[in-house]
Amino acid sequence: MAGQEQQQPQSRDSQVEEDVPEAPPAPPEAQASESTQGVDDLLDEIDGVLESNAEEFVRAFVQKGGQ
Amino acid sequence: MRVMGAETEYGIHAPTAPGANATMMSARVVQAYAQVTRQRAAGGAETRWDYTDEEPLHDARGWTLERGAAHPSQLTDQPPVLDAEAVALAYGREELELDGQDESGTLLMNMVLGNGARLYVDHAHPEYSSPEVTNPRDAVTWDAAGDLVALATVRRLAADPELPAVNLYKNNTDNKSVSYGSHENYLMPRSVPFGEIVRGLTPFFVTRQIMCGAGRVGLGQDSSIPGYQISQRADFFEAEVGLETTIRRPIINTRDEPHATADKYRRLHVIIGDANLSQVSNYLKFGTTAMVLSLIEAGLAPKVEVHEPVSALQTVSHDTSLTAKLRLLDGRRVTALDLQWMYHEAAAKLAQDTGVADAVDGDGHTHEVLERWATTLTQLDSNKAAAASSVEWLAKLSLLDGYRERDGLAWGEARLGLVDLQWADIRPEKGLYYRFLARNRMQRIVDDGDIAAAVTEPPSDTRAYFRGRCISNFGKDVVGASWDSVIFDVPGYGRLQRVPTREPLRGTKALTGGLFARHRTAGPFLAELLGQKSTPPPA
């Protein structure tokens, strides 16, 4: 997580850049292991609660117009 | 600080019943809550909404839209009724056997809650409108109470083997070109010229999303461009000023429906915000906006005008680096952060001059709003990792980036879309925001106990106290209510008794608490309230 927060400034037309995932710059060494560990734990937990069929689930979430 | 309130339309989805009628599902949600609260059992029906004073076609610029020219979605002064024909078309006749219909064969879809809120079907979504509160902390509390109300309905429906389970999401788009709103309302003196409101608020609204955007996977109304942006709503705005809320959405909405003494107040209806789960983002949304309105009322809003505000709004939303420069009409080029600092500086000066931020004599809220505002802007400028525990779009981005790194996912991958959607699932065991909260990765402004209490308790310092207590104490005798009325049908009175509540700061616990304490039944309560010394006259 920490590494991602340090992204280089993007141009205003970030749509174009965001098509291609950028390699994140390396996070500071001291924080790296701790924060990576935390994120791994978090992702493991969230893997366990995510709905099973992502593609189908996201496709089926269709709303009627709202305010 | 200021009378304000929140409205949340929840995204609704029944995974095991694809294609289910959204209005019918939303009606089931409302009915489920009636069952949870036993309100129907007590009153025989939901408390109906009183539409007498609704004026959705009044425009703050000084005119009224003709009904014939209005989009059907603008006619919110008519009860949302799912009639027998519509139900039969969608489901077949057997659905008409559902309970909850009145004699005319219609499902009524409104509840007024004991906490002073309204729960109802708004077109194709269940909507919770919080009671009126006087400060941003209470706005966060009673808005979050709505999420617990929604959760109770989800649980109830999940426990009913006859009906498909329903999921509710506190988000603003399905990423397939549909957006639904979360609105804010602020009471203002009518004496403030509307043009000043537009001028003062537009640059602020274009940029406040950097603190209170909920974050969204996908760019464009239909998410056709892969990526991540700050606001869920920004791409759906197409106009600078206007009356509509579902088409040609404007940055400044002109609906002039005060729900209060009309020549004294206006209710500023704000449609540009994202629904927030993050308490800090929600707190800043209400707190900073209220302070900017005070600046406008004092004639002290920063003198800035953004070139092409609609496109600037989207530029800000698409720029997660927060470095994009916006062009001002005076030729300056500034970032969203620069603009927010201008507003902060002006608000801090006004607060100092008027003393409202004083630790002892202040209003008890302005000081904290200013502090959190400054802290958040500083973090956004120099330490986004720190802001990720409070700013919702950054919190969600940290999770998405975790997936992108670990699994090498590109922005268009369905799993990232699922993370985005499930962030907003209101079930604590499924909602990813709630997983963050449980891990102390998100800051709290209010604790769980206060939020739970707000599900049943009205705020004590507005007319919502009177409304909520009437529902809680005399529910079976209350046949209708709205923001500015409570209608009783009490034995002994020949006709319905409509109690107007036009003043948002009356009907408080201080003013009416004794009245509620003295009477256990509606008849004597009403008699004292209406100034009748004796028992009600015979019918």
Side-chain angles (χ1 to χ4, degrees), chain B residues 351-352 354-367:
Chain B
Q352 188 172 17
T354 58
V356 291
D358 188 88
V360 179
D361 299 323
D363 62 12
H365 298 282
T366 298
H367 176 75

Side-chain angles (χ1 to χ4, degrees), chain A residues 7-65:
Chain A
Q7 287 181 11
Q8 293 304 306
Q10 299 168 347
S11 78
R12 295 175 67 176
D13 292 320
S14 57
Q15 301 99 309
V16 179
E17 294 189 15
E18 301 213 38
D19 276 341
V20 185
E22 292 176 77
E29 284 303 319
Q31 292 175 11
S33 59
E34 187 189 342
S35 90
T36 304
Q37 184 60 45
V39 171
D40 285 349
D41 285 354
L42 177 70
L43 293 182
D44 287 347
E45 177 186 329
I46 285 176
D47 283 340
V49 301
L50 277 183
E51 304 289 348
S52 52
N53 188 336
E55 194 149 345
E56 187 187 331
F57 198 89
V58 168
R59 192 175 58 238
F61 183 72
V62 177
Q63 302 294 290
K64 292 271 168 45

